[in-house]
Amino acid sequence: SGVPLVLSVVWATISTALATPSSSDPIAFLLASGPAIAIPVLLLAIGAIGTTLLGSFLAMGHFAVDMMMSSTKLTGDNNSSSTQQKWKRRTVEFGTVLIPCALACAGPGLYLPLLAFAGAYPTTILYGLVPSLAALVLRKRVAQHPNNSGSHVPRLVPGGQPTLMALTMTSVGLLSASTILAIRHAVRAARLAFV
């Protein structure tokens, strides 16, 4: 959508214009400014972090409950009155919040790299890797069955298969780089925490 893009560009422009070029952390600089600047920046930061955490907890909670119910062979809908299902669901929901809280309590040296790691994956997978792989698979299926009347696939990506392969490889490269950086930060934080 264009609205998040416009908001992001406006936010980047304003923060760049207000921060001095010598500051290493423009957000810390803006928070140290007067209340006319610091309060909106703080509210925006709290809103961004809060919506991210809320969405992550809700999604992870539903995913974990579904995985646990399918792995323990419990059937029935989510509103079932089974005491065992309710107990297992509450346990999973509690664990969904408890695990990130425990990692956050270990300190920002461990939690912030893990948070960055989690943020790097969904965007790259959802908007980089999955669309290009889906287009490649769809084009392959259409090529295998060219006589199907409903098999017209619009060519939205110019360049054909080489462009889609380049997008796929770029996404895999970003995911690999994110993985290497996250592992490096986690190992460094674990060494500091246990020393």
Side-chain angles (χ1 to χ4, degrees), residues 130-156:
V130 171
S132 56
L133 286 176
L136 284 169
V137 168
L138 184 61
R139 286 183 180 183
K140 184 177 179 181
R141 286 185 184 167
V142 168
Q144 289 175 347
H145 306 289
N147 296 331
N148 289 348
S149 59
S151 63
H152 174 69
V153 178
R155 300 289 178 165
L156 299 176

Side-chain angles (χ1 to χ4, degrees), residues 48-73:
I49 293 168
T51 55
T52 300
L53 288 177
L54 181 63
S56 297
F57 285 151
L58 287 174
M60 184 59 189
H62 289 294
F63 175 75
V65 167
D66 289 344
M67 288 299 294
M68 185 168 179
M69 294 302 172
S70 66
S71 69
T72 58
K73 307 284 190 258

Side-chain angles (χ1 to χ4, degrees), residues 15-37:
S15 62
T16 303
L18 292 175
T20 62
S22 62
S23 70
S24 62
D25 188 0
I27 301 300
F29 177 79
L30 292 173
L31 288 173
S33 302
I37 295 173

Side-chain angles (χ1 to χ4, degrees), residues 1-13:
S1 171
V3 174
L5 176 63
V6 169
L7 289 174
S8 179
V9 169
V10 167
W11 168 248
T13 304

